[in-house]
Amino acid sequence: MSRRTRRVASTATLVLAASALVAAPAAGTDSPSVPEAPGTHEVRFATFNTALERPEEGMLAQELASPDSEQARNVAEIIQHVRPDVLLVNEFDHDEEGLGLRRFQDNYLSVGQNGADPIDYPYVYNAPVNTGVASGVDLNGDGEAVTEPGTPEYAEDAFGYGVFPGQYGMAVLSKYPIVTDQVRTFQTFRWADMPDALLPTDPETGEPYYSEEALEVLRLSSKSHWDLPIDTGRGRPVHLLAGHPTPPTFDGPEKRNVARNHDEIRFWADYVRPRAGDYIYDDAGVRGGLAPGARFVIAGDLNADPNDGDGHPEAMTQLLEHPDIVDVRPSSQGGRGAAERQGAANDDHVGDPELDSADFVDEPGPGNLRVDYVLPSRSLPARASGVFWPTVDDPLFRLTGDHPFPSSDHRLVWVDVVR
């Protein structure tokens, strides 16, 4: 979980080094949580909330300047074991120069961790997000519009919760070319421009929670929504639809974050359904959703479990029951073991713990939840999938562990699709 002006695809940072696109086998290990490499005609898509956000601007890039960050080493080792071809990274602080990403590649991913093979991503997409960007209006209802970064009050009045611009950012690492001239970003799309949006109301008065002034500027995306066409070498690209909706908590009786999470997820449901996304406009002013028949993968920490937790009960069903989307239900035995071992809130959950992807506080708290997703379109047959969540007797349990986590409170989720 996590709490500038118009920018378009030209803000992407692309590293165009030559690289073989055939997935290398993972380093030798006795761990059953390490998947086999995808087949010759398959692409492994993955999402990983790395929890590599930091409390001050520039701190992450500075930390990654040396190879000594234990957390970053563990995150890198997980990636080296699973070896995604296309990876969405959530909660990785954004900087305009992409310095943090370059250092993470050079000092961590390109260095074998504990015997795992290095991994290189020649193509990187790095663009601004809404977290920590001042809205200029009062969004948290305290009567003041805070515009000076660095405080929780500022974060609550930013377009997305963040104490500085780019905190809790996201990026995409790929072994395959990103078709940058076809990238669409939706950072500035206004929430009020979504038809029948679940804009929150004051439960005591029935009046809108947000002022007219706020609704004039409030963006839907708490981070951003990206459509990144990936050239997998088979003719038509695969559109990676990447995002990280706000968590449906940290609000009041108006449930503004519950509503926003629902509508951030709804955005993709409309975007991939023919004609349903006609209202959508991107940061370049181009209108409409995804072209009919386009192949896609929706990925990200969507901060919503279909059965448990604090989210809107229909938030994830918008995607999981969508006629054009397949839920291949990536799973792990580690998730089941954690739920049984930790108990508390997990004992009352309805959902299958093998599908969980995040290890949250159990008491008081929501317990472990399924919040991270890789959802391919029906036109992309899936061959294998999983959640990297080792069991306690697995030699790689040291990479995930129990709280305090050596890497992240989220687990990497992956799906292999025929390209």
Side-chain angles (χ1 to χ4, degrees):
M1 281 192 193
S2 70
R3 282 289 224 208
R4 289 186 256 231
T5 54
R6 179 169 60 90
R7 301 298 177 96
V8 293
S10 61
T11 61
T13 300
L14 288 175
V15 184
L16 300 177
S19 174
L21 296 180
V22 178
T29 177
D30 294 329
S31 170
S33 56
V34 174
E36 295 182 0
T40 304
H41 300 296
E42 297 170 3
V43 179
R44 178 163 294 164
F45 284 85
T47 185
F48 191 11
N49 181 327
T50 61
L52 284 170
E53 84 290 340
R54 295 296 182 260
E56 296 180 13
E57 190 168 13
M59 183 179 289
L60 178 63
Q62 181 178 0
E63 178 181 333
L64 298 179
S66 79
D68 300 329
S69 169
E70 182 177 359
Q71 182 194 4
R73 288 200 303 265
N74 290 333
V75 167
E77 185 178 348
I78 291 170
I79 295 170
Q80 289 171 349
H81 284 302
V82 180
R83 311 193 74 74
D85 296 310
V86 183
L87 172 64
L88 169 62
V89 176
N90 288 134
E91 292 197 14
F92 190 106
D93 292 343
H94 170 78
D95 66 88
E96 289 289 345
E97 296 76 24
L99 185 59
L101 287 169
R102 289 198 300 273
R103 289 173 171 175
F104 183 56
Q105 175 67 73
D106 294 343
N107 294 332
Y108 293 89
L109 294 175
S110 294
V111 178
Q113 306 292 338
N114 287 303
D117 291 334
I119 189 167
D120 292 312
Y121 290 101
Y123 305 98
V124 176
Y125 189 81
N126 176 45
V129 292
N130 284 326
T131 39
V133 176
S135 69
V137 297
D138 175 21
L139 294 181
N140 66 354
D142 66 356
E144 182 181 5
V146 181
T147 58
E148 184 65 30
T151 66
E153 291 76 20
Y154 169 85
E156 290 175 358
D157 282 341
F159 284 121
Y161 188 94
V163 298
F164 61 84
Q167 189 180 30
Y168 305 110
M170 60 187 196
V172 171
L173 311 178
S174 180
K175 294 184 179 182
Y176 292 91
I178 301 169
V179 189
T180 52
D181 61 353
Q182 297 178 25
V183 165
R184 301 181 71 189
T185 63
F186 305 89
Q187 183 188 7
T188 61
F189 179 85
R190 294 193 319 158
W191 191 359
D193 290 336
M194 172 178 276
D196 301 316
L198 295 185
L199 295 170
T201 58
D202 185 326
E204 293 186 1
T205 66
E207 296 296 315
Y209 173 80
Y210 292 115
S211 66
E212 292 184 8
E213 180 186 25
L215 291 176
E216 280 294 318
V217 300
L218 181 55
R219 301 171 181 179
L220 173 64
S221 296
S222 56
K223 285 81 178 177
S224 194
H225 286 69
W226 296 342
D227 175 353
L228 307 183
I230 309 295
D231 181 3
T232 61
R234 304 289 288 182
R236 293 186 302 152
V238 176
H239 292 256
L240 177 64
L241 307 182
H244 185 190
T246 194
T249 185
F250 310 119
D251 51 18
E254 81 293 335
K255 299 294 184 183
R256 65 187 186 276
N257 288 336
V258 173
R260 191 177 187 183
N261 174 270
H262 174 281
D263 282 357
E264 287 193 73
I265 293 170
R266 178 192 155 189
F267 181 93
W268 285 138
D270 290 347
Y271 188 72
V272 302
R273 190 191 300 266
R275 308 294 301 175
D278 288 352
Y279 67 89
I280 293 172
Y281 55 85
D282 62 27
D283 292 330
V286 178
R287 289 190 169 268
L290 194 63
R295 305 183 303 165
F296 63 85
V297 173
I298 298 173
D301 172 5
L302 303 187
N303 269 319
D305 185 297
N307 300 294
D308 305 301
D310 301 318
H312 190 288
E314 298 178 2
M316 275 312 301
T317 61
Q318 298 175 105
L319 298 182
L320 299 182
E321 298 180 5
H322 195 290
D324 299 315
I325 296 171
V326 176
D327 177 17
V328 298
R329 295 167 63 86
S331 64
S332 73
Q333 288 301 309
R336 174 173 295 280
E340 293 174 350
R341 185 172 66 255
Q342 296 163 7
N346 297 293
D347 293 339
D348 297 323
H349 282 182
V350 175
D352 184 349
E354 292 186 11
L355 305 181
D356 288 345
S357 66
D359 192 340
F360 294 144
V361 175
D362 303 311
E363 191 175 12
N368 304 344
L369 299 174
R370 183 189 186 192
V371 295
D372 305 89
Y373 297 86
V374 179
L375 299 170
S377 60
R378 290 199 174 275
S379 54
L380 283 174
R383 293 293 186 247
S385 66
V387 178
F388 185 84
W389 197 328
T391 57
V392 292
D393 57 349
D394 189 312
L396 295 184
F397 180 75
R398 60 181 172 78
L399 295 174
T400 54
D402 290 323
H403 187 271
F405 305 106
S407 53
S408 172
D409 55 350
H410 291 253
R411 307 292 176 252
L412 187 152
V413 178
W414 59 274
V415 174
D416 293 344
V417 299
V418 176
R419 62 188 175 101

